[in-house]
Amino acid sequence: MAFLPSSSPSYSVTKLFLYTILTLSLHYFRPNSAVLLVKLRHHFRNHHKLSPVIQTNQTYSCNLFVGSWVFDDSYPIYQASHCPFIDPEFNCKLYGRPDSNYLKYRWKPAACDLPRFNGVEFLQRMRERTVMFVGDSLGRNQWESLICMISSSLPRSSPTNIIKRDPLTTFKFLEYGVTISYYKATYLVDIDIVEGKRILKLDEISGNGNAWQGVDVLIFNTGHWWTHKGSLQGWDYMESGGILYKDMDRLTALNQGLTTWARWVDTNVDITRTRVFFQSISPTHSNPAEWGSVSMATTKNCYGETTPVSGMVYNTDGYPADDADQMRVLDTVLKETSVPVYLLDITMLSAMRKDAHPSIYSGDLTAQQRANPQRSADCSHWCLPGLPDTWNQLFYTALLY
């Protein structure tokens, strides 16, 4: 049955040795250990080469994540005006985006065709099951996309129910008994408030993980918040091994947080019931130099971009440089899990979509911010309809075919 997970991949003795050394290094990390940081970065950048992953399942033996974007006038499969669940920050048409071609691109794997998404089929095959997106706002971006994609296949009379709470929001398709939820956990691991300070607990996850127990399909993501500094930083201290740190190397912290997450998966997931997916790093488009844009002279980010990148222009192991480092960490951790985790490797195909961000067409921006796109354009999230619909088409394929 396609819904059941495949067997866990093996790993080499060499990788196990490197992982052990890395884990010991993390355990004894101190903020002033400059030599360790240099060696850690050297290991990730020079000894762990990556390209978009090749994964197979029972029907699709091609690489779903290597291909091209083709213009298809039959897209999008839903309209924003018909889906009231889209948050203002993703609803680009509502907030004045004038162009529409970004809605018309379909992902075409190099060696196969993706099945067109069918919301009724999804609900029928997932009847009485639960799906949960866990992670940061990119997970919410994808969660809202999936709800809109499914809803567009149903008559408006089909009963639904939504319960919005923090950190868990739940959407139910009552006729089919299918629940699709979003759980906000930007770092996956726990954050506690102690004497007014936010403590990011790199070794603890039970506070969040208790909410994930017994779910049939879990889709995790994290990445962006591990690099934020200044006013965007989501914590005041990191705690590791009972010691508080004002800061540490962010790749080191990400590795330790993901290792804690992987330990939770291995301990708590029943593979006879639950499928686990991990969404790879969602790229940003804040620097036109990364894609050789001719608009570099007039803009400093994704503002004004209306077409995808043509061809593969990134030079770092097949991924944009900022994402490649995090992808190496993620790849290392996933290879050590005993529970099989399917990596939805959307990084490279999304890196080509510099045109698909909200930019200034977001309900989260004021009129003054919209007038200054060089400072205010949102080049991290994605418009809906838009790119996250493709992420869900890939998820749909990997889950059901």
Side-chain angles (χ1 to χ4, degrees), residues 214-239:
V215 175
D216 295 300
V217 180
L218 287 164
I219 311 168
F220 294 95
N221 88 289
T222 191
H224 286 197
W225 283 86
W226 292 92
T227 63
H228 288 338
K229 296 186 177 182
S231 62
L232 292 177
Q233 183 174 295
W235 45 269
D236 299 300
Y237 294 93
M238 292 183 180
E239 181 178 316

Side-chain angles (χ1 to χ4, degrees), residues 67-141:
S68 59
W69 289 100
V70 296
F71 193 85
D72 187 334
D73 204 45
S74 70
Y75 280 72
I77 66 172
Y78 65 92
Q79 299 296 326
S81 58
H82 296 160
C83 190
F85 316 110
I86 301 174
D87 279 347
E89 64 185 299
F90 311 140
N91 201 333
C92 302
K93 279 297 182 184
L94 181 64
Y95 289 94
R97 180 158 181 169
D99 59 309
S100 297
N101 280 354
Y102 73 96
L103 298 170
K104 301 293 185 179
Y105 287 96
R106 171 174 56 86
W107 179 247
K108 171 67 173 70
C112 63
D113 289 310
L114 292 175
R116 190 173 178 90
F117 184 88
N118 185 317
V120 173
E121 181 192 25
F122 183 94
L123 293 174
Q124 289 174 339
R125 297 181 65 178
M126 292 297 295
R127 189 180 292 274
E128 303 300 331
R129 288 193 171 110
T130 54
V131 178
M132 183 181 289
F133 291 86
V134 179
D136 58 27
S137 55
L138 277 307
R140 191 174 85 252
N141 215 171

Side-chain angles (χ1 to χ4, degrees), residues 7-282:
S7 59
S8 175
S10 61
Y11 49 82
S12 67
V13 173
T14 301
K15 288 179 180 176
L16 179 60
F17 173 75
L18 288 173
Y19 175 77
T20 303
I21 294 298
L22 178 61
T23 302
L24 290 172
S25 299
L26 286 169
H27 181 70
Y28 291 105
F29 173 80
R30 296 295 183 269
N32 295 323
S33 301
V35 174
L36 171 61
L37 299 187
V38 170
K39 288 182 177 178
L40 179 62
R41 289 184 179 276
H42 177 77
H43 162 68
F44 280 134
R45 289 177 176 168
N46 299 305
H47 298 287
H48 198 155
K49 300 297 183 183
L50 286 177
S51 58
V53 299
I54 296 176
Q55 298 190 73
T56 62
N57 51 38
Q58 292 183 357
T59 301
Y60 283 81
S61 58
C62 78
N63 188 342
L64 299 179
F65 310 108
V66 172
S68 59
W69 289 100
V70 296
F71 193 85
D72 187 334
D73 204 45
S74 70
Y75 280 72
I77 66 172
Y78 65 92
Q79 299 296 326
S81 58
H82 296 160
C83 190
F85 316 110
I86 301 174
D87 279 347
E89 64 185 299
F90 311 140
N91 201 333
C92 302
K93 279 297 182 184
L94 181 64
Y95 289 94
R97 180 158 181 169
D99 59 309
S100 297
N101 280 354
Y102 73 96
L103 298 170
K104 301 293 185 179
Y105 287 96
R106 171 174 56 86
W107 179 247
K108 171 67 173 70
C112 63
D113 289 310
L114 292 175
R116 190 173 178 90
F117 184 88
N118 185 317
V120 173
E121 181 192 25
F122 183 94
L123 293 174
Q124 289 174 339
R125 297 181 65 178
M126 292 297 295
R127 189 180 292 274
E128 303 300 331
R129 288 193 171 110
T130 54
V131 178
M132 183 181 289
F133 291 86
V134 179
D136 58 27
S137 55
L138 277 307
R140 191 174 85 252
N141 215 171
Q142 187 180 3
W143 170 71
E144 291 181 11
S145 162
L146 183 59
I147 291 172
C148 291
M149 292 172 76
I150 296 172
S151 297
S152 70
S153 301
L154 300 175
R156 294 195 176 187
S157 59
S158 183
T160 62
N161 181 50
I162 186 168
I163 301 173
K164 293 184 177 182
R165 295 195 178 110
D166 189 14
L168 178 65
T169 301
T170 300
F171 191 96
K172 296 182 179 181
F173 293 92
L174 299 175
E175 186 178 353
Y176 296 87
V178 175
T179 299
I180 302 178
S181 302
Y182 165 68
Y183 186 93
K184 181 180 179 181
T186 52
Y187 303 97
L188 300 183
V189 292
D190 295 343
I191 295 181
D192 288 346
I193 306 298
V194 180
E195 296 181 356
K197 300 296 183 181
R198 301 163 298 173
I199 311 298
L200 180 61
K201 305 236 174 199
L202 297 178
D203 302 325
E204 297 183 19
I205 201 169
S206 60
N208 286 328
N210 287 338
W212 315 335
Q213 298 277 0
V215 175
D216 295 300
V217 180
L218 287 164
I219 311 168
F220 294 95
N221 88 289
T222 191
H224 286 197
W225 283 86
W226 292 92
T227 63
H228 288 338
K229 296 186 177 182
S231 62
L232 292 177
Q233 183 174 295
W235 45 269
D236 299 300
Y237 294 93
M238 292 183 180
E239 181 178 316
S240 174
I243 300 173
L244 293 179
Y245 298 95
K246 189 67 176 175
D247 205 351
M248 67 167 66
D249 176 75
R250 300 308 180 85
L251 289 179
T252 303
L254 173 63
N255 185 282
Q256 191 165 347
L258 285 176
T259 299
T260 300
W261 164 83
R263 190 180 305 118
W264 181 92
V265 169
D266 284 342
T267 302
N268 292 277
V269 168
D270 177 359
I271 63 174
T272 66
R273 171 181 177 173
T274 300
R275 287 284 301 272
V276 182
F277 292 79
F278 204 105
Q279 183 89 291
S280 68
I281 307 303
S282 176

